[in-house]
Amino acid sequence: MIRVLVVDDEALIRKGFQRILDTADDIQVVATVPGGQAVRTAQETRPDLVLLDIRMPDVDGLTVLAGLRRLPDPPVVAMLTTFDMDEYVATALRSGAAGFLLKDTDPEELPFLVRTLADGGTVLSSKVTRTVVDGYLDAGPQVPAARSLHRLTDRERAVLLLIAEGLSNADIATRMHLSTGTVKDHVSAILTKLEVGSRVQAALLAERAGLLKPPRNQEGE
């Protein structure tokens, strides 16, 4: 059972997400709260995943994210936003968010996305703009990305490419004919060697290094 905490300043949004997720047999919404109650509620309910509004009037979503990340056994956090281009998204990704969803995500897709996040996958809304990704990359670490990737073994680089595709640990294990435990060990090693705090950060570092697509000045040639 995947335990989910929904954090949003609007009760209608909270109840809407709860109603959708409660239709799934393997997902339980343990609580829905506004931002000011999020960290305390997470401590009490110990969710696997938090769906967190990035913009709230009572407390900033990024502040809540930082508080959740400081918990002894922090949950996976995905940010919720109304905008497909939100200047806070890049900061949230650098701060350890596992991805972000638009609030108008297709209800039929939501349980699948929750399962992907809970299994260690990366979720970025299909409407994510190039500007958001560029904002992340432009403000990222100054160590050249290619140099960082040289720290990885060939197997770790292969795992990183699948992380960048958004695959979960279970999917990577199936694709590479490995156990899920072995994949988790590889992911941990990748994050440590690249000095990043999340799979999203690792994936975007791979993009910066040119592993996912040709350099931009060659696109369209």
Side-chain angles (χ1 to χ4, degrees), residues 17-37:
F17 272 81
Q18 181 175 20
R19 187 173 296 112
I20 294 168
L21 294 176
D22 279 347
T23 64
D25 294 336
D26 59 338
I27 299 173
Q28 177 188 9
V29 177
V30 295
T32 67
V33 296
Q37 301 174 29

Side-chain angles (χ1 to χ4, degrees), residues 50 206 219 221:
V50 176
E219 290 182 356
E221 292 183 3

Side-chain angles (χ1 to χ4, degrees), residues 164-183:
E165 289 182 21
L167 271 65
S168 67
N169 289 338
D171 291 335
I172 294 173
T174 299
R175 182 81 65 88
M176 298 186 68
H177 306 290
L178 301 171
S179 70
T180 302
T182 298
V183 171

Side-chain angles (χ1 to χ4, degrees), residues 34-133:
Q37 301 174 29
V39 176
R40 184 181 73 249
T41 303
Q43 290 175 310
E44 295 171 349
T45 61
R46 300 180 62 83
D48 303 301
L49 170 66
V50 176
L51 299 179
L52 172 62
D53 188 7
I54 202 168
R55 292 174 179 264
M56 297 178 287
D58 58 339
V59 60
D60 183 79
L62 298 177
T63 300
V64 175
L65 173 61
L68 292 170
R69 295 289 295 172
R70 286 194 296 268
L71 294 177
D73 186 16
V76 175
V77 181
M79 311 304 293
L80 301 173
T81 179
T82 306
F83 312 102
D84 62 345
M85 189 185 78
D86 190 318
E87 65 268 27
Y88 291 161
V89 167
T91 302
L93 297 178
R94 288 195 299 273
S95 299
F100 78 93
L101 303 172
L102 293 181
K103 292 183 182 180
D104 63 356
T105 295
D106 186 338
E108 293 185 358
E109 294 182 5
L110 188 58
F112 169 77
L113 298 175
V114 164
R115 295 184 188 104
T116 300
L117 288 161
D119 193 39
T122 299
V123 170
L124 295 176
S125 167
S126 60
K127 295 181 182 179
V128 63
T129 63
R130 184 76 237 174
T131 302
V132 171
V133 176

